[in-house]
Amino acid sequence: MKMAMKTTIISPEKILFEGDVQRIKVPGAQGAFEILNNHAPIISILSKGKVECLGDSNFEIVITSGFVEVADNKVSICVEL
């Protein structure tokens, strides 16, 4: 069984994505990185680039900035488009 992370991506206007994913690629301010199940807790600034959620249903979006918080297999991403 694949382990999934509860993921929410929001903009100031609305919820863009909610779902369970196996991997998330984000454009970190210090370089792109990937979030996997059981990732260490982190808060990171995001820069311009593409956020990719990979799982049973895939989702991707191009952002101008934002931040990500990961804790206990829950991923919250707040973005500016």
Side-chain angles (χ1 to χ4, degrees):
M1 180 176 114
K2 294 180 190 173
M3 296 300 293
M5 298 175 289
K6 299 279 183 203
T7 303
T8 304
I9 301 175
I10 62 170
S11 72
E13 294 81 29
K14 63 181 179 177
I15 296 171
L16 302 168
F17 175 83
E18 277 187 303
D20 293 340
V21 300
Q22 278 76 48
R23 303 183 336 199
I24 305 167
K25 296 178 184 178
V26 295
Q30 305 265 322
F33 64 95
E34 190 168 37
I35 300 163
L36 301 171
N37 200 48
N38 295 321
H39 195 286
I42 186 174
I43 295 175
S44 178
I45 295 170
L46 301 178
S47 59
K48 186 175 183 176
K50 183 165 55 170
V51 174
E52 293 180 84
C53 299
L54 305 166
D56 292 336
S57 59
N58 296 334
F59 175 82
E60 63 180 50
I61 191 165
V62 175
I63 66 168
T64 58
S65 65
F67 68 90
V68 59
E69 178 181 16
V70 180
D72 299 323
N73 288 326
K74 291 183 185 143
V75 181
S76 300
I77 304 174
C78 182
V79 300
E80 288 283 341
L81 303 177

